Amino acid sequence: MAQTVAVCSLCLIVAFVSVSLCYSQGSTKHLKDIVLGRCWDFQRQKAHDVSTKNCSKIWETFYTAFAYKDPCNTTFADYASYFDEIGMDIVKPNKSLFWSGTYKEAHLFSDFDVRFTTLEDTMAGWIVNGLTWCGTKTNTSDGINYSSCPKQTTSCDYSTPFWGQASKRFAENASGIVRVMVNGTRMGSEHPIPAYRRDSFFGRYELPNFHVDRITRLIILVVHNIDGPDLESCGNGSIKLLQKDACDRGINTTCHDDPDDVRHLLCADQPRSRECWFFNGGTKKVTQPTEDDNRSWKLVAIIMLGIVAAFCLMAAVIGVVCVKTRRGKCIDSFNYRKHATDIEHET
Ligand SMILES: *[C@@H]1O[C@H](CO)[C@@H](O)[C@H](O)[C@H]1NC(C)=O
Ligand SMILES: *[C@@H]1O[C@H](CO)[C@@H](O)[C@H](O)[C@H]1NC(C)=O
Ligand SMILES: *[C@@H]1O[C@H](CO)[C@@H](O)[C@H](O)[C@H]1NC(C)=O
Ligand SMILES: *[C@@H]1O[C@H](CO)[C@@H](O)[C@H](O)[C@H]1NC(C)=O
Ligand SMILES: *[C@@H]1O[C@H](CO)[C@@H](O)[C@H](O)[C@H]1NC(C)=O
Ligand SMILES: *[C@@H]1O[C@H](CO)[C@@H](O)[C@H](O)[C@H]1NC(C)=O
Ligand SMILES: *[C@@H]1O[C@H](CO)[C@@H](O)[C@H](O)[C@H]1NC(C)=O
Ligand SMILES: *[C@@H]1O[C@H](CO)[C@@H](O)[C@H](O)[C@H]1NC(C)=O
Ligand SMILES: *[C@@H]1O[C@H](CO)[C@@H](O)[C@H](O)[C@H]1NC(C)=O
């Protein structure tokens, strides 16, 4: 009896695992509400950049592209009316940022259009970024399959008609200096993945669609994990191939390994790693205090010491009183003061 139960549960687990291997998750719940909400919100945030667009119309063009259809059979043409309706934002010269294998870092770096503009910072990309959607031919209420979408394979490549086309249109509008951020430490489950692949979205839809006459230079930013390993760097491995492919298209490139502005962002997440110690040494070196600075700092230090001493005395007195009365409040106020002096110290 126990054995049967064990075998059955094993079967169930195996079945479950194979099902989850074959199918990814279904379409995002509340897809329509999310798309409509993001569409209006984008226009609220970018009121100056985007002429008012009809979000119901945008949803309609998006929805009819895939609803009630076999997901493996959607085409570029299906989504064309969505991209025509929404248009491509005007990306300022020198601001386009492309990426491959560096999703998180590229978007931290672009900062939603503040520093640079990625595809996902444009309206067409932003309103569906991170969502999953696929249709179903069976007659359900809305023609969207919320239970599962096919796993992305070459034989059923259902996200490329959307994202490939978005990439293409975004690349066509790039001008001036363009940047691409690639990953020099990219690991698959077993083998390293090259930083640049000709079959990536960048290789297939972006680099080939640049209007070379409008592009002055391609800056390649190679990012490595803070603690390495540096599998590929400027001038070797697949990055050499990228430089060659760009050159063949008539685009000049310059390449930078871990530029400071990118590295500082990575260090924000791992401030204690050895490679990020430059924060302590570096800042002091750059702002060598002058004589005047030195004197005023001494004054500040003396005043601070005085404040701290007075404060300690006060705390001690209050502490004695409070231990007898209300304990919690006293500790709170102590922490608050300590925090405040910390902040003063840093500025
Ligand atoms: C927006 O598009 C919808 C659907 O196409 C349409 O019914 C509606 O009249 C449009 N609204 C405006 C203000 O144009
Ligand atoms: C895919 O769509 C085309 C036209 O859109 C149709 O002719 C073809 O039969 C479809 N294939 C499958 C497998 O559904
Ligand atoms: C783009 O960069 C080039 C070279 O640095 C500069 O000459 C040009 O003014 C920049 N264009 C804009 C719009 O910032
Ligand atoms: C580069 O790829 C590695 C492994 O695939 C990943 O852990 C890391 O976060 C990626 N780096 C960036 C900057 O995205
Ligand atoms: C959703 O897709 C899965 C796999 O593609 C399929 O087995 C299932 O029947 C679909 N569900 C609906 C409601 O069409
Ligand atoms: C889908 O179902 C609705 C009612 O639920 C029905 O009116 C319609 O004819 C069906 N369409 C197809 C293609 O079966
Ligand atoms: C963007 O590219 C499209 C297609 O090449 C073109 O029609 C459009 O005018 C471009 N827009 C801008 C702002 O460059
Ligand atoms: C590339 O650089 C060379 C040498 O600096 C220059 O002569 C050429 O005009 C540049 N090409 C482009 C497309 O900017
Ligand atoms: C590329 O260069 C880096 C450092 O210069 C080195 O660590 C790495 O092994 C090289 N990779 C290849 C593929 O040559």
Side-chain angles (χ1 to χ4, degrees):
M1 187 60 191
Q3 270 171 335
T4 344
V5 172
V7 168
C8 276
S9 31
L10 194 69
C11 282
L12 272 178
I13 291 171
V14 169
F16 178 75
V17 167
S18 35
V19 165
S20 22
L21 281 180
C22 289
Y23 297 113
S24 60
Q25 59 195 354
S27 303
T28 309
K29 301 231 158 35
H30 312 294
L31 182 67
K32 182 178 180 179
D33 294 336
I34 294 173
V35 169
L36 284 174
R38 284 190 184 175
C39 177
W40 291 121
D41 191 38
F42 188 93
Q43 299 190 66
R44 179 188 65 82
Q45 295 190 57
K46 299 283 169 79
H48 309 294
D49 303 355
V50 185
S51 57
T52 313
K53 299 203 155 71
N54 183 342
C55 289
S56 314
K57 192 81 180 292
I58 285 171
W59 163 255
E60 239 166 54
T61 55
F62 176 66
Y63 173 67
T64 46
F66 66 93
Y68 298 108
K69 286 183 188 162
D70 175 2
C72 304
N73 200 18
T74 51
T75 61
F76 273 56
D78 288 333
Y79 285 105
S81 54
Y82 166 81
F83 289 105
D84 289 343
E85 182 65 34
I86 204 164
M88 188 43 79
D89 306 11
I90 297 163
V91 179
K92 294 194 193 76
N94 301 353
K95 277 196 84 177
S96 302
L97 175 66
F98 299 84
W99 58 272
S100 192
T102 53
Y103 178 88
K104 190 179 163 212
E105 189 61 19
H107 293 101
L108 277 177
F109 191 46
S110 76
D111 194 13
F112 193 34
D113 245 9
V114 173
R115 287 191 203 94
F116 297 104
T117 308
T118 66
L119 171 59
E120 293 74 15
D121 300 323
T122 66
M123 188 168 182
W126 198 75
I127 68 179
V128 294
N129 186 23
L131 307 181
T132 305
W133 66 91
C134 64
T136 173
K137 281 189 100 170
T138 52
N139 194 358
T140 60
S141 57
D142 62 358
I144 300 178
N145 191 338
Y146 293 101
S147 53
S148 74
C149 288
K151 195 175 165 63
Q152 185 75 28
T153 58
T154 39
S155 64
C156 182
D157 188 2
Y158 70 99
S159 67
T160 295
F162 184 90
W163 287 111
Q165 185 162 193
S167 303
K168 177 174 176 289
R169 293 192 184 223
F170 181 57
E172 282 169 352
N173 283 110
S175 66
I177 296 170
V178 298
R179 291 169 172 78
V180 60
M181 187 185 284
V182 295
N183 189 336
T185 314
R186 204 165 173 200
M187 292 296 298
S189 50
E190 283 161 24
H191 303 288
I193 301 173
Y196 167 69
R197 290 171 297 123
R198 282 180 171 162
D199 65 354
S200 65
F201 276 100
F202 180 73
R204 269 194 301 171
Y205 299 106
E206 295 176 332
L207 184 54
N209 285 308
F210 285 150
H211 285 215
V212 175
D213 50 324
R214 279 196 249 142
I215 288 180
T216 44
R217 197 149 43 101
L218 172 67
I219 298 183
I220 303 166
L221 308 168
V222 186
V223 185
H224 301 99
N225 283 4
I226 287 293
D227 45 2
D230 293 7
L231 299 174
E232 298 179 311
S233 305
C234 288
N236 79 11
S238 66
I239 295 165
K240 209 167 163 182
L241 182 67
L242 167 55
Q243 287 169 305
K244 180 186 171 297
D245 283 356
C247 184
D248 287 351
R249 289 226 57 213
I251 301 171
N252 285 342
T253 62
T254 46
C255 186
H256 303 272
D257 286 310
D258 300 309
D260 283 349
D261 41 7
V262 175
R263 178 148 278 229
H264 287 201
L265 286 175
L266 287 175
C267 280
D269 289 332
Q270 296 166 41
R272 285 180 192 286
S273 85
R274 170 178 276 277
E275 284 74 10
C276 297
W277 286 0
F278 60 81
F279 278 126
N280 294 325
T283 43
K284 270 179 201 151
K285 232 179 274 162
V286 178
T287 56
Q288 278 283 340
T290 60
E291 276 295 307
D292 255 12
D293 276 351
N294 249 338
R295 225 175 295 147
S296 57
W297 267 109
K298 271 178 198 157
L299 199 68
V300 169
I302 290 168
I303 291 172
M304 291 281 281
L305 266 176
I307 291 173
V308 169
F311 168 65
C312 282
L313 197 71
M314 227 162 67
V317 172
I318 295 172
V320 169
V321 176
C322 282
V323 164
K324 284 178 191 160
T325 55
R326 286 174 303 177
R327 210 172 177 167
K329 207 164 188 185
C330 199
I331 290 167
D332 262 350
S333 84
F334 182 80
N335 278 343
Y336 172 73
R337 276 309 202 104
K338 187 171 165 225
H339 185 65
T341 51
D342 272 348
I343 288 171
E344 275 171 38
H345 208 71
E346 274 166 26
T347 52

